[in-house]
Amino acid sequence: MTGLLGAVPRALTRVAAILALLAVWEAAPRLALVDRTFLPPFSEVALAWWELLADGQLLDDAQAS
Protein backbone atom coordinates (compact mmCIF):
# COMPACT_ATOMS: atom_id res chain seq x y z
CA MET A 1 0.00 0.00 0.00
CA THR A 2 2.91 2.37 0.67
CA GLY A 3 4.02 2.14 -2.96
CA LEU A 4 0.61 3.24 -4.16
CA LEU A 5 0.49 6.15 -1.73
CA GLY A 6 3.91 7.27 -2.89
CA ALA A 7 2.86 7.05 -6.54
CA VAL A 8 -0.01 9.50 -6.13
CA PRO A 9 2.14 12.54 -5.27
CA ARG A 10 4.57 11.67 -8.09
CA ALA A 11 1.70 11.41 -10.56
CA LEU A 12 0.22 14.71 -9.37
CA THR A 13 3.61 16.38 -9.69
CA ARG A 14 3.95 15.15 -13.27
CA VAL A 15 0.44 16.27 -14.18
CA ALA A 16 1.08 19.69 -12.60
CA ALA A 17 4.33 20.04 -14.55
CA ILE A 18 2.60 19.23 -17.84
CA LEU A 19 -0.24 21.66 -17.08
CA ALA A 20 2.29 24.37 -16.20
CA LEU A 21 4.14 23.80 -19.49
CA LEU A 22 0.87 24.02 -21.44
CA ALA A 23 -0.09 27.21 -19.59
CA VAL A 24 3.25 28.83 -20.45
CA TRP A 25 2.91 27.64 -24.07
CA GLU A 26 -0.57 29.19 -24.25
CA ALA A 27 0.38 32.45 -22.51
CA ALA A 28 3.75 33.25 -24.10
CA PRO A 29 2.50 33.98 -27.63
CA ARG A 30 -0.69 35.64 -26.38
CA LEU A 31 1.35 38.04 -24.25
CA ALA A 32 3.74 38.68 -27.19
CA LEU A 33 6.66 37.15 -25.31
CA VAL A 34 7.38 35.04 -28.40
CA ASP A 35 6.43 35.43 -32.05
CA ARG A 36 3.17 33.59 -32.82
CA THR A 37 4.60 32.61 -36.20
CA PHE A 38 7.16 30.38 -34.50
CA LEU A 39 5.17 29.36 -31.42
CA PRO A 40 1.39 29.62 -31.79
CA PRO A 41 -0.75 29.20 -28.66
CA PHE A 42 -1.33 25.61 -27.61
CA SER A 43 -5.09 25.94 -28.12
CA GLU A 44 -4.58 26.83 -31.79
CA VAL A 45 -2.18 23.93 -32.30
CA ALA A 46 -4.56 21.49 -30.59
CA LEU A 47 -7.51 22.73 -32.65
CA ALA A 48 -5.58 22.40 -35.92
CA TRP A 49 -4.39 18.91 -34.91
CA TRP A 50 -7.95 17.85 -34.09
CA GLU A 51 -9.29 19.20 -37.41
CA LEU A 52 -6.57 17.37 -39.36
CA LEU A 53 -7.30 14.19 -37.41
CA ALA A 54 -11.05 14.47 -37.99
CA ASP A 55 -10.82 14.88 -41.76
CA GLY A 56 -8.17 12.16 -42.19
CA GLN A 57 -5.46 14.46 -43.47
CA LEU A 58 -3.27 13.89 -40.40
CA LEU A 59 -3.13 10.17 -41.08
CA ASP A 60 -2.39 10.74 -44.76
CA ASP A 61 0.40 13.16 -43.98
CA ALA A 62 1.85 10.90 -41.29
CA GLN A 63 1.90 7.96 -43.69
CA ALA A 64 3.58 10.09 -46.36
CA SER A 65 6.33 11.10 -43.99
Side-chain angles (χ1 to χ4, degrees), residues 24-51:
V24 169
W25 181 359
E26 183 70 26
R30 293 194 183 278
L31 297 173
L33 300 174
V34 296
D35 187 345
R36 296 175 75 110
T37 302
F38 301 110
L39 184 69
F42 173 73
S43 59
E44 292 177 14
V45 173
L47 179 61
W49 184 85
W50 183 256
E51 289 172 351

